[in-house]
Amino acid sequence: MAVNIVKDSYKSKVVEITVGTEANAIKIGGDSTLPFLHFEGEMPNKQVLCLEVFDMVPEGWPENLTAAYEGVMSDPVAWAKKCVEYGADMVALRLMSAHPDNSDTSPEDAAKTAKAVADAISVPMIVVGCGVEEKDAKVLEAVAEALAGKTCILGNATNENFKSITGACMVYGHSVVSQSPLDINLAKQMNILMTEMGLPNERIVMDPLSGAVGYGIEYAYSIMERARLGALMGDKMLGNPVIAYVGQETWKAKESKASVEEFPEWGEQAKRSILWEVVTACTLAQAGAAIFVLRHPESLKQLRVHFAKMMESNAY
Amino acid sequence: MQKFNISFLPDKKKVFITEEVNLLQAAAEAGILVKGSCGGDGTCGRCKVIIKEGNYTTKQTGKLTKEQLAGGYVLACQTTAESDLVVEVPEASRLSEHQVLLEEETVGEAVSQTSVDPLFKKIKVELPEPSLTDSMDDIERLKMAVRKETGIENLRVSLNTVSNIPGILRKEKWKVTVSLADVLGYTEIAAVESGWDYQKYYGLAIDIGTTTIVVNLVDLESGQTIAQKGSYNQQAVYGDDIISRIVHATEEKNGMEDLRNAVLKSLNELISQLASENHIDINVINYAVCAGNTTMVHLFLGIDPKYIRLEPYTPAINIPEPIRAEEVGLQICKTAWVYCIPGIASYVGGDITSGAQVIGIDKTEKVTLFIDVGTNGEMVLGNQDWLMACACSAGPAFEGGGIKCGMRAMRGAIERLDVISDTLDVEYSTVGGAKPVGVCGSGLIDCIAGMHKAGIIDRTGQFSSNLTNQRIRNGDDGPEYVIVSKENSGNGQDIALSEVDIKNLIRSKGAVFAGIRTMLRKMDLPIEIIEEIIIAGGFGRHISIKDAISIGLLPDAEFEKYKYIGNSSVKGAKMVLLSKTARDEAVQLATKMTYLELSIGNDFMDEYVSALFIPHTDMTLFPSLSE
């Protein structure tokens, strides 16, 4: 008996965002189907795999992670180049030194670093603040100006500081990461507020804040899924590509850091930590995430293979 | 234990109290009602009094300014006497007269007076004289005559009535007036009088609100309301909301008695005023029907309310039986019955059943939303086929609670308000046309709507950072908007609305709208399905539908769908008092309603967060607002 392939038809799609300049520009989003259902709609752009660069030597990274960046970790420019060498589609610069508890780098100095990195690499950039909302507002304003014309993604704009970040990105032509704590309604509210300021919808990337596998990923999974379904059903305020800070979350997990001596039943740390990052990213890709900010080049390599396979057409 | 004399100024009232009793309780004993929103926890700072003479200990002074401390101010609930005291209670700390919603225009059919069949009535009967061939006993003879006259089968009679019956029956040659009281399931022959000349008889329809109490004196023969009165529920001294009162009742020594006495005192005062003003004896008040929320009914009847507020939120009783007035403590005819209209669950009580019945929600084809926009935020949705009820706990913000410049709709409250978009100036009107001293619920709604329209706040209630105007400034709670400056206010203080206040109000309005949406979601119905929206409650009467829609408090429906009903609770009580059929229907209605527990599942929380936006995260729900 013949089986009819059930195909859903959606009336809308995820917004397509362009970052970077000219030859190096990449497009993100634009999906008109649920993730990897090529038989129902289009997934015109591939997943964006980024590697993270700190503007100061990060603390508490396990050895198998620092080993990948040996010799470049105190120089963000060199580190960023290394990331490109490892095949990153984008470099995510995290301006951690601006944190008042770290060296409290001034917005001007942070912007200089960002500019130096951007000038040294050919791939587009994501620039993320230190996480202190008031400070990030100032830092990202300066960064937006310094990177004028480079068409980057800046973040993270939260309920507290989105006005100044959005304003600066509007003026200097960047996209913004709008971050909200694991709630579809709050995510939507941020988007409404930002577009009402005049920022075009195709300049917003959503970060619903995910946890790693075993640390609350199921919440993020269902939120992302709802956002994607919303987007496909025509909700313009949910139709933005989703970014997932995978590395940041997975490398916090004990499973990524603890040695085999501490937990013999967990097996080897080097293998386990990569898997934690890869599995988290794969899971979130199934939920609809488009940009993955990773830390380990090995994870990137494995995910590249996985996603290439997933992007092969499964149309009947 | 030491005892001290406390005299209160300027009332010149004195009480004699032990050293354990705080001044808030002492004032209550002296009959002075001091504001105690937090129930005596020392957190609301509203019970400020001034010690004029004497020694005292005070536990907490955090809510007082330096000037106040220097001026001898203390928080009454935190202060106990160490000697005789002279205490002044300033006007600002008193519960003042409140606009009590008495009778309002009715929605739809008025309570029908044509078929008055009250729960208490007197009938004239003539008994066949006994003879040698008819030697039936007196009581059976009486019952037979009553049965013949009324068709009532199940009659009972108390020993008290039987004891003098032979003389009474024979005095006027077997002509007697029989008092019949309906007691769920049977009819009591409450009294028998000789002859057919009888005194008029009355009943009471009572609404026991958390904040206000309303009593209607009803002539049970004609079905007419003779007079009505309303006042504060004196329980307010022990907390503004039902939760703090339950806490007081269950955790304080004698707490239960405090609350029971407070509500009884409020009621008995109103009853005695009604009786004396209308020249009737309280003994001819023969039946009382009360409508109140579940907590109020528990506290009124002296039933332990503890588990109402504890998971899984079970009241002791939803459908109370009639109880003798004497047992309840209501000062009317001792043998009179007091009946409380049945409730549905912990937070949807008899007041809602009562209102739902008045509007006949169970008899209409139209999908109707009945909503009490108050602290508890009860609502009922449905029609003749299905009924659902929930309580969204909107909080007291719209009644002025938790808002710095908020107040109830009393004299001097700003009730209407317009923000002029270009100058950010304000036009307003106050209750009684007095100088403004605060803003009541309707004014608060207008204010948020106006501030959003003028661009002072964004959709989340956050102040815009790029507006400079003399009316916008930084206050103790962050940015605030000055509605009336102290030069123009009635209390020498600025009236301002801060970001914290606005977020509070947004949470309240979000809860109401989320409650509506959650009920619809359970039935899988769109918001447009609602054909009629009936707003009850004292505060509800004053709100502007247009502004309420523009902030997302109420659904974006055509204005014609909206109706006010006012105090539907007391109307329902009157309906039940005057009709056995209505009483039976009220019981059925209460049992028919499905109570929706909003704390289970994600639906309510999801709807709530999406409603924390002006007007809503999903703008398609408010089509009339998109230009």
Side-chain angles (χ1 to χ4, degrees), chain A residues 159-160 162-163 183-186 188-190 192-193 196 226 235, chain B residues 458-460 462-465 606-607 609-610 612-613 617-619:
Chain A
N159 195 28
E160 295 301 314
F162 75 92
K163 281 178 190 158
D183 188 302
I184 196 78
N185 295 303
L186 296 178
K188 190 168 168 177
Q189 291 179 8
M190 282 284 291
I192 294 171
L193 293 172
E196 279 189 353
R226 277 181 69 182
D235 191 335
Chain B
D458 72 11
R459 290 186 187 277
T460 62
Q462 220 161 13
F463 273 68
S464 164
S465 46
D606 206 26
E607 290 294 348
V609 176
S610 64
L612 296 180
F613 211 53
T617 307
D618 185 354
M619 306 279 193

Side-chain angles (χ1 to χ4, degrees), chain B residues 46-62:
Chain B
R46 297 199 173 201
C47 60
K48 296 181 185 100
V49 295
I50 308 161
I51 310 280
K52 291 287 185 188
E53 285 167 35
N55 302 321
Y56 57 92
T57 29
T58 193
K59 282 183 277 185
Q60 217 176 297
T61 54

